[in-house]
Amino acid sequence: MISLPEDNTRFQLPTRIRTKRTPADSYLVRLTLADRIATLPGIEAVENGSTTLPCSITIHLVTDATASRKQTPPRMLCRLSKDGISVHGLSNRDRHLVLSRGWGSLSADSVLVHLPRDDEELEVCWTILQHAYNSLLNFSDCSRTPEIAAFGELPRFSRTTLQ
């Protein structure tokens, strides 16, 4: 069973070594990461690309809709591709930490984390994904639907122009 970190305030990362060479079995490390992501509760994966070999896999977090009246749309957790792992759901502070430690680059609405090259980098990438997962999960638990005012509670305005 996978244990998720309880304390989200102490998110720390080591510095990534850029000159480290990629071993021949790095593909196995990437498959291990995909298997770990698939074991998280509420995960839905969508393959993008051809039917024989997907170009990328988009992973969404689907929240339980039985507790609320309206079904919330799934939130994107990450996208696995040959370029890296596009991680969504990190705060500005967490994005800055990932970028400053050399684990990724900034994209339009996410952080593109480098693919893991060995087991040590697999653990760091897993920590980043767990943190994003917990952030999205806590956000969807706390999000509320806005209250709609009844017709009688709306403000009244005069339609005349005062000159």
Side-chain angles (χ1 to χ4, degrees):
M1 181 174 186
I2 297 172
S3 61
L4 299 176
E6 294 289 329
D7 187 14
N8 288 340
T9 58
R10 308 199 100 212
F11 181 54
Q12 297 294 323
L13 295 175
T15 304
R16 184 174 190 260
I17 301 170
R18 293 183 182 193
T19 58
K20 187 186 262 186
R21 298 213 181 245
T22 304
D25 63 343
S26 64
Y27 187 70
L28 181 64
V29 174
R30 295 173 191 168
L31 285 176
T32 304
L33 181 64
D35 288 340
R36 284 188 183 183
I37 294 170
T39 60
L40 291 172
I43 292 297
E44 177 182 284
V46 178
E47 295 179 356
N48 305 325
S50 66
T51 57
T52 57
L53 186 63
C55 295
S56 67
I57 299 173
T58 305
I59 299 169
H60 297 277
L61 173 64
V62 180
T63 56
D64 186 21
T66 58
S68 64
R69 293 177 134 178
K70 294 182 180 179
Q71 185 172 357
T72 58
R75 297 183 158 270
M76 183 183 291
L77 174 63
C78 65
R79 176 179 288 128
L80 298 171
S81 67
K82 62 180 178 68
D83 298 329
I85 308 163
S86 178
V87 180
H88 298 261
L90 293 174
S91 67
N92 288 337
R93 179 188 174 279
D94 297 336
R95 276 186 263 173
H96 175 71
L97 182 64
V98 170
L99 297 174
S100 66
R101 299 299 172 120
W103 287 101
S105 59
L106 191 61
S107 66
D109 58 346
S110 62
V111 174
L112 184 66
V113 176
H114 301 297
L115 292 171
R117 297 175 285 193
D118 57 9
D119 290 335
E120 293 172 1
E121 289 189 1
L122 171 70
E123 294 304 321
V124 174
C125 289
W126 178 239
T127 302
I128 293 169
L129 285 168
Q130 279 183 328
H131 194 74
Y133 175 81
N134 287 336
S135 296
L136 286 175
L137 194 65
N138 290 339
F139 179 76
S140 62
D141 287 345
C142 297
S143 64
R144 293 181 38 196
T145 57
E147 294 182 17
I148 300 173
F151 183 72
E153 297 173 0
L154 294 175
R156 296 180 188 203
F157 296 102
S158 173
R159 296 180 188 251
T160 62
T161 59
L162 300 175
Q163 296 182 13

